Amino acid sequence: MGIFEISDPGRIEALYAGWPETFIWSFLQGYMGSAWADHPRFPTSAKIMVGDFCLFAGKPNAALILHQPEGRETDFFILVPQNEAWGREIERILGEQAQRITRYATQKDPSLFRRGKLERFAALSNPNFQLRSIDGPLFCLLRVEEWSRDLCSQFADYADYERSGIGVAALYQGTPVAGASSYTVYRGGIEIEIDTRVDFRRQGLATACGARLILDCLDCGLYPSWDAHSRASLALSKKLGYKLDRPYPAYEWNPGLPRV
């Protein structure tokens, strides 16, 4: 059974119907990502890959689960099954090499945000810190640091980021130590990524950056979608105004690690 890269999103769109996930929209709307299927014209199984995320739809397919595209900088995947059948197939194929986790989708409702509250969160009282929009020099700095790479990693270069991305960084004496940015983009919105350097955590920087980015997105007519990786991320999202939509299962897979 072959695996075929899909260049026309319309070929697999029906397989993802009714799945309100921004990573899917990013590919189907032609913004970013890649996709593969079990047939080039009449697919019954498909995988959309955007960043580290692989979203599987249609009939469970072992070859799609095991497929690893060439040219990736990292050997890490977050596998998201469309349903329990895909989840069972991921567990059958990968066994204990795939770690099951719970992620948290939030409601996509702009009316939940309170501008006054967000403005207060975004105001940094410590004069050693300042918030700044991500420009060319900041983009380059964030791309090379391990802690901040994902803030800009899905964009080819700054020209690409300037065209469709948006973000803010917290600077400590001129050095970026936290940030909130568009991990991915789709029509009318972004998926938020927030990161803080380890030695600057628990100082309110993630809250300030997240609040500022949400405000900037609302001012630009973009929706700042938040898909939480953990309960801590979900708690921060709720602090900023989001509400939980649903928890859902996913699997972390690093093919480079030995099978347990």
Side-chain angles (χ1 to χ4, degrees):
M1 182 181 297
I3 298 297
F4 303 88
E5 186 163 6
I6 301 298
S7 57
D8 178 6
R11 299 286 187 192
I12 62 172
E13 186 172 7
L15 296 177
Y16 289 89
W19 191 352
E21 174 54 68
T22 67
F23 300 117
I24 295 170
W25 300 342
S26 291
F27 176 75
L28 293 182
Q29 295 171 2
Y31 284 86
M32 51 178 52
S34 304
W36 295 265
D38 61 341
H39 193 281
R41 295 184 59 199
F42 307 106
T44 61
S45 307
K47 171 175 71 174
I48 287 176
M49 185 171 179
V50 181
D52 294 331
F53 290 81
C54 301
L55 300 104
F56 299 93
K59 181 180 178 182
N61 183 299
L64 280 174
I65 293 170
L66 290 169
H67 169 254
Q68 299 176 41
E70 297 179 356
R72 278 179 54 80
E73 294 182 1
T74 62
D75 194 19
F76 174 77
F77 302 90
I78 298 174
L79 312 181
V80 184
Q82 185 181 47
N83 48 42
E84 291 182 3
W86 271 106
R88 289 193 296 269
E89 187 70 353
I90 289 170
E91 293 177 7
R92 184 184 74 83
I93 296 299
L94 300 180
E96 294 183 11
Q97 199 175 41
Q99 179 184 358
R100 183 183 171 107
I101 62 172
T102 299
R103 293 183 62 89
Y104 304 90
T106 60
Q107 296 178 19
K108 297 174 176 59
D109 182 358
S111 70
L112 296 174
F113 300 119
R114 300 293 177 263
R115 294 191 65 96
K117 186 176 182 180
L118 291 171
E119 292 283 5
R120 289 192 294 274
F121 283 142
L124 288 171
S125 58
N126 190 329
N128 290 320
F129 297 99
Q130 62 172 306
L131 296 186
R132 202 172 90 194
S133 297
I134 296 175
D135 55 13
L138 272 179
F139 177 90
C140 294
L141 285 173
L142 295 169
R143 282 279 289 242
V144 299
E145 295 289 338
E146 182 67 28
W147 72 266
S148 59
R149 186 171 299 135
D150 279 343
L151 292 171
C152 306
S153 62
Q154 302 311 310
F155 298 86
D157 49 32
Y158 179 66
D160 185 25
Y161 185 84
E162 186 179 31
R163 182 167 51 251
S164 55
I166 185 172
V168 61
L171 308 185
Y172 174 72
Q173 298 179 351
T175 299
V177 294
S181 182
S182 44
Y183 181 68
T184 54
V185 298
Y186 60 96
R187 187 183 305 128
I190 68 166
E191 187 68 43
I192 287 182
E193 172 77 18
I194 294 185
D195 295 296
T196 305
R197 215 173 78 180
V198 173
D199 51 335
F200 283 88
R201 291 177 181 171
R202 301 192 180 280
Q203 299 186 51
L205 299 178
T207 301
C209 289
R212 184 73 264 162
L213 178 57
I214 292 169
L215 289 165
D216 289 348
C217 284
L218 297 178
D219 289 342
C220 294
L222 298 173
Y223 183 77
S225 177
W226 189 303
D227 192 270
H229 180 72
S230 63
R231 288 187 177 275
S233 176
L234 178 63
L236 177 56
S237 75
K238 289 181 176 179
K239 182 179 180 180
L240 294 171
Y242 294 87
K243 288 187 178 180
L244 175 66
D245 181 18
R246 68 193 187 284
Y248 67 91
Y251 297 83
E252 293 182 342
W253 178 39
N254 188 330
L257 295 179
R259 183 178 292 273
V260 176

